[in-house]
């Protein structure tokens, strides 16, 4: 199964990126994901279910430890893995095209 996660961490700081936002970027870019889009107002990543769920766990834990007071997260099933036989899902994010 393939998943897409979209998330933001708060509080926002328009002058400089807060520690929790930097940690989120570090975690998601280091994860074993197929596609990552990191932006100032949201982050999107795609990959196999295990990789995405592992990354989400790390993002939640590490950003909270780094001062996040709110994390908004959306997780979508976007299709089956190459060996899967189920239907593909849809659901483009509003944060832009996902690419690595």
């Amino acid at each position: 199964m393939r998943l897409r996660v979209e998330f933001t961490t708060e509080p926002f700081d328009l002058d400089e990126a807060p520690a929790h936002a930097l940690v989120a970027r570090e975690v998601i870019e280091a994860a074993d994901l197929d596609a990552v889009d990191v932006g100032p107002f949201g982050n999107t990543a795609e990959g196999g279910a295990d990789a995405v769920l592992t990354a989400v766990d790390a993002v939640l834990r590490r950003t909270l430890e780094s001062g996040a007071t709110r994390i908004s997260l959306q997780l979508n099933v976007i299709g089956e893995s190459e060996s899967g036989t189920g239907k593909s899902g849809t659901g483009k994010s509003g944060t832009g095209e996902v690419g690595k």
Side-chain angles (χ1 to χ4, degrees), residues 23-79:
V23 165
R25 170 179 274 184
E26 174 187 304
V27 168
I28 210 72
E29 288 181 340
D32 186 23
L33 301 168
D34 300 334
V36 173
D37 182 23
V38 177
F41 300 108
N43 307 288
T44 306
E46 300 183 0
D50 287 338
V52 171
L53 295 174
T54 297
V56 166
D57 179 67
V59 164
L60 293 174
R61 291 175 189 278
R62 294 203 40 215
T63 58
L64 289 169
E65 291 168 356
S66 298
T69 58
R70 178 180 174 145
I71 302 163
S72 300
L73 181 129
Q74 180 173 313
L75 188 68
N76 293 300
V77 175
I78 58 171

Side-chain angles (χ1 to χ4, degrees), residues 4-19:
R4 176 182 297 122
V5 63
E6 301 172 54
F7 68 93
T8 58
T9 60
E10 296 179 43
F12 295 115
D13 183 339
L14 297 177
D15 294 326
E16 72 178 77

